[in-house]
Amino acid sequence: MTVTTTRPAPQKVRAPHPLRAEAVRGFAPMAGLAVLLTAGGMMIATSATWQGGWAETASRLHESLLITLPMAAAAGCWQGGRERRRRTEELWGTVVRPPLTRLLAAAVPSAVWVVLGYLLAVAAVSLATWPYSMGDRPHLVSVPGDATALVAAVLAGHVVGRVVPTVLAAPLTGMVGYVVLGVLGSNGTAKSLSPAAYIWPTHEPVWWQPLAMGGWTLGPAAALTLAYAARRRVTALLPLTAAAACGALLLHTGSGLWQPDPYAGRQACDTSVTPAVCVNARYARLLPQVSDALSGVTGKLRGVRNLPVRWEDHEGEPPADETQLPMITPLDWSVVRGRLTEPKRYAWEAVALMQGRGDCARLPERVSLADDAVSAYLAPSPEQDSFDKRDAQGDAADRAALRARLAARAKLAGMDEDRRRAWLSAYFASRNDCAMKGVPSL
């Protein structure tokens, strides 16, 4: 009996795609990690200046391009010079694939990893801001343009690495990129062409600015790539033309590329007190803390006339019937991670702004005594005791001035409620008046 067996047909093993090999091994993942650590390190080092403010977070992230863009260009340049360092250029020349395909197979994984590193940094800092956010909403409109600029930097650097025959090409490329960004960012006319131009937290790009910036940055990189590796180098004119059109649009629009944040022009107010307490809508969740810090002031002012209508928080001089709230921004001064750092100092600054004599020349002694007594009654300075102790140990003039201040403070504090309200009403009637004839004496 004969038994016949059939050998199973060998399964066809599919060769791995060259992009996969480049993406999971070698230098590309390291380039992405370097961008992640650099952007993340810069953000961590300045966390108190952005954590809690969505606009500040977006501005700081965009500002990190000043370092990560040159780094991406240097990484692309290093990858581009790989075959020369390995001395495999002639071997690669025998491969069937065309030069453009070979170039992209080596450059695209690096670009993808660099962008992935940046996006991970964006996600991480967004998660870090979210628990402390004071209002507003995430500002992500710049992210597509930033990511495109990083891709362009890698591609351009890759071509430079293939053309320039020196191991110093990568660091020199990064240095040149940093200088170019610095020059563009410091030039008022050309600032709109810089992919790393500073964005004020109170402003945000118009919706089409990232698209135009992407065309402006990616166009020259694509043209350089096609001019180097394409069979028909005339095709490089297409992306170059697109880049010129985008650059002309950016340059023509100029400062119009950045529009005021709608939130920055709004106020969130507590109208249950007089003066009303208003903060910028970007920090609406901070209003309870600000109202609590000023509660001692507003409580003592109950029934007093001639007060400002409200404390307001926006750019520019307030109207005559309003007063400026102490600045919430820049973060890391009065506010850190969504919390007022020194409520007592904040209240003292609010009273000083309400008195409105910051632009006046030298004050008469009676006015200075009245201002000091009002400040000490409503919200004394946290350093008041130390200043008084210093004057108590000073010369005769310092001790005499201290005695006069203490007497004025005691007189205001010792008045009955009705008399003190009348005196304060007369005092605030002269607010913002540098003539100071109506300031009552103590």
Side-chain angles (χ1 to χ4, degrees):
M1 182 178 179
T2 304
V3 179
T4 59
T5 60
T6 56
R7 180 179 298 176
Q11 294 182 353
K12 188 176 181 180
V13 179
R14 187 175 182 179
H17 196 279
L19 282 177
R20 181 179 180 278
E22 292 281 358
V24 299
R25 289 179 292 182
F27 179 72
M30 295 175 59
L33 181 62
V35 169
L36 171 62
L37 294 178
T38 301
M42 293 175 64
M43 297 299 290
I44 291 173
T46 59
S47 60
T49 64
W50 55 263
Q51 202 169 5
W54 285 114
E56 287 80 4
T57 300
S59 179
R60 283 288 180 183
L61 267 172
H62 183 74
E63 191 178 356
S64 70
L65 290 183
L66 192 62
I67 301 298
T68 54
L69 273 177
M71 176 179 290
C77 186
W78 182 259
Q79 181 77 342
R82 178 183 61 179
E83 307 310 328
R84 185 183 300 108
R85 293 192 305 273
R86 293 177 177 179
R87 297 181 182 180
T88 57
E89 290 178 291
E90 294 183 2
L91 179 62
W92 268 104
T94 63
V95 176
V96 178
R97 293 188 179 91
L100 181 60
T101 302
R102 298 199 304 267
L103 186 148
L104 293 177
V108 168
S110 297
V112 170
W113 272 103
V114 164
V115 170
L116 181 60
Y118 179 72
L119 293 179
L120 286 175
V122 171
V125 299
S126 298
L127 289 175
T129 287
W130 176 71
Y132 306 103
S133 63
M134 296 174 283
D136 205 351
R137 82 284 188 218
H139 291 239
L140 302 176
V141 66
S142 296
V143 173
D146 296 347
T148 304
L150 289 168
V151 171
V154 173
L155 287 178
H158 194 93
V159 175
V160 172
R162 292 200 171 208
V163 172
V164 180
T166 173
V167 294
L168 296 177
L172 289 175
T173 298
M175 293 172 61
V176 170
Y178 181 78
V179 171
V180 169
L181 291 176
V183 171
L184 288 177
S186 61
N187 189 308
T189 304
K191 183 179 179 180
S192 57
L193 298 178
S194 173
Y198 179 74
I199 300 177
W200 289 100
T202 54
H203 289 68
E204 60 181 6
V206 294
W207 67 268
W208 54 265
Q209 190 268 354
L211 301 177
M213 183 59 69
W216 163 245
T217 55
L218 191 58
L224 190 64
T225 302
L226 292 174
Y228 173 77
R231 290 179 178 177
R232 296 182 180 180
R233 296 181 178 179
V234 71
T235 55
L237 294 176
L238 294 176
L240 202 58
T241 302
C246 292
L249 178 61
L250 293 170
L251 200 59
H252 174 73
T253 309
S255 59
L257 293 169
W258 294 276
Q259 299 294 332
D261 183 357
Y263 276 76
R266 305 175 192 168
Q267 301 276 292
C269 298
D270 175 8
T271 58
S272 64
V273 293
T274 303
V277 180
C278 299
V279 301
N280 196 285
R282 294 196 296 136
Y283 312 112
R285 294 176 188 167
L286 195 66
L287 180 59
Q289 293 184 56
V290 175
S291 295
D292 185 61
L294 298 179
S295 61
V297 178
T298 54
K300 294 174 182 176
L301 291 176
R302 191 174 293 112
V304 176
R305 302 182 307 278
N306 303 318
L307 294 173
V309 176
R310 66 177 185 171
W311 277 290
E312 53 88 18
D313 178 28
H314 55 69
E315 294 181 347
E317 284 292 321
D321 61 343
E322 298 181 358
T323 186
Q324 181 70 44
L325 191 75
M327 293 183 64
I328 293 174
T329 55
L331 301 183
D332 195 27
W333 288 77
S334 298
V335 178
V336 176
R337 296 181 181 88
R339 302 294 299 178
L340 279 178
T341 54
E342 297 182 78
K344 292 183 179 179
R345 179 179 297 278
Y346 194 83
W348 170 69
E349 292 175 354
V351 170
L353 290 171
M354 187 168 59
Q355 290 172 318
R357 307 200 199 280
D359 296 330
C360 297
R362 182 179 177 85
L363 302 176
E365 182 180 1
R366 68 180 183 84
V367 177
S368 297
L369 289 175
D371 287 348
D372 178 77
V374 170
S375 177
Y377 172 70
L378 294 178
S381 167
E383 284 83 25
Q384 180 175 291
D385 290 342
S386 62
F387 289 154
D388 290 347
K389 289 179 181 178
R390 183 193 63 186
D391 289 342
Q393 299 172 358
D395 56 22
D398 291 337
R399 294 194 298 272
L402 175 61
R403 287 194 296 271
R405 292 200 304 271
L406 293 177
R409 294 173 193 169
K411 187 173 181 180
L412 179 61
M415 293 179 180
D416 61 66
E417 292 292 334
D418 292 338
R419 185 183 175 194
R420 184 164 50 238
R421 276 196 293 267
W423 189 94
L424 288 173
S425 297
Y427 172 85
F428 282 109
S430 66
R431 191 177 69 90
N432 293 326
D433 180 13
C434 288
M436 296 169 280
K437 294 181 180 179
V439 178
S441 299
L442 281 171

